[in-house]
Amino acid sequence: MDYKDLMQVVCSRRSIRRFTGRRVDRERIEQLVEAASWAPSNHNRQGWKFIIFEAADEIHALAERSRRCVEAFLAETRRPATAQMDELVHFTGAFEYAPVVILVMHKKSPAVGKAILAQAASELASGEVLSAAAACQNLLLAAHVMGLGACMMTAPLLAGEVWKSLDSLPAGYEPTCLIALGYPDEAPAPPKRKKLEHIVEYRNA
Ligand SMILES: Cc1cc2nc3c(=O)[nH]c(=O)nc-3n(C[C@H](O)[C@H](O)[C@H](O)COP(=O)(O)O)c2cc1C
């Protein structure tokens, strides 16, 4: 494998949001989690968990409850309805028709002391969220090379109480994102990327 091969995989991965009804078998799911588990993590803590939802009824119910939760929040704050809000509600439940939904979680407790974190350049210095994010990217790439489609989603987490009230989640972990997973029923064009000169700065002074 060289840079060109790697870039072929990296650049051809897309976020897939529409899926066929084909079931994703357990062996594939295990392989995806295995790929995720080889991501770098802070102090090699591997402070991540992957909660797999496969039952369509449960996935539909979670999507419906998530939409209602965000709708209720918007109604309570008495904001006039706008297209943007409709979109927010839509994206909150956009995982509804995924055959598999993975709730990715990261460890709540930081690996370093609270005092040092308080003066850190970013609260992300604790590394827990970023480790889980790195695991997600491994999982997305592995799904892609297997012919599966996936989309990382944080909008559903706006429905905080839905995820917090789930039974038997691992203690000491909190949600990082969802990954909707299945066989793709769409082939979206690659969204444009910013040019390198707009995202990189060299400091050689
Ligand atoms: C942290 C994160 C959160 C995201 N949340 C959502 C989401 O809630 N809903 C959604 O449809 N896509 C979501 N996406 C997917 C992005 O929209 C997508 O990655 C971006 O448009 C680029 O498209 P590509 O992944 O096909 O290259 C998210 C991606 C990331 C990395």
Side-chain angles (χ1 to χ4, degrees):
M1 149 101 61
D2 59 14
Y3 178 74
K4 213 172 126 214
D5 296 332
L6 176 69
M7 286 303 272
Q8 205 286 322
V9 174
V10 167
C11 300
S12 59
R13 178 211 55 81
R14 290 279 66 77
S15 287
I16 298 297
R17 303 174 179 85
R18 290 167 59 100
F19 305 96
T20 68
R22 187 172 160 196
R23 214 180 134 263
V24 182
D25 63 46
R26 274 286 166 88
E27 197 189 339
R28 298 258 166 196
I29 296 174
E30 302 262 295
Q31 287 173 328
L32 295 178
V33 177
E34 167 107 41
S37 76
W38 279 93
S41 66
N42 52 328
H43 302 271
N44 195 26
R45 287 228 295 178
Q46 303 168 53
W48 43 52
K49 297 273 186 192
F50 302 88
I51 318 299
I52 318 286
F53 294 91
E54 299 173 299
D57 289 0
E58 193 176 10
I59 293 171
H60 294 326
L62 282 167
E64 183 57 27
R65 283 178 58 207
S66 298
R67 278 193 292 265
R68 288 221 190 106
C69 174
V70 169
E71 262 167 0
F73 170 81
L74 294 173
E76 260 168 43
T77 53
R78 293 179 213 284
R79 291 166 200 272
T82 64
Q84 230 179 357
M85 284 181 198
D86 287 349
E87 203 173 64
L88 200 64
V89 171
H90 165 76
F91 277 111
T92 305
F95 58 91
E96 180 161 10
Y97 298 108
V100 177
V101 170
I102 305 176
L103 170 61
V104 181
M105 305 189 79
H106 59 268
K107 254 203 171 112
K108 254 198 270 191
S109 62
V112 292
K114 288 217 164 97
I116 190 145
L117 268 185
Q119 61 80 60
S122 155
E123 62 185 27
L124 293 177
S126 84
E128 312 299 341
V129 177
L130 295 176
S131 302
C136 288
Q137 176 68 353
N138 273 15
L139 193 156
L140 296 181
L141 290 174
H144 174 50
V145 297
M146 285 178 192
L148 284 157
C151 184
M152 207 165 153
M153 297 181 172
T154 47
L157 301 187
L158 292 171
E161 68 197 43
V162 170
W163 305 101
K164 282 182 202 151
S165 66
L166 281 180
D167 284 340
S168 42
L169 285 180
Y173 288 78
E174 63 186 10
T176 319
C177 66
L178 296 192
I179 296 179
L181 176 74
Y183 286 91
D185 195 22
E186 62 171 349
K192 279 199 176 132
R193 259 42 186 183
K194 293 182 179 174
K195 289 202 160 75
L196 289 197
E197 65 256 37
H198 295 139
I199 59 170
V200 68
E201 290 183 26
Y202 295 96
R203 300 283 165 107
N204 292 322

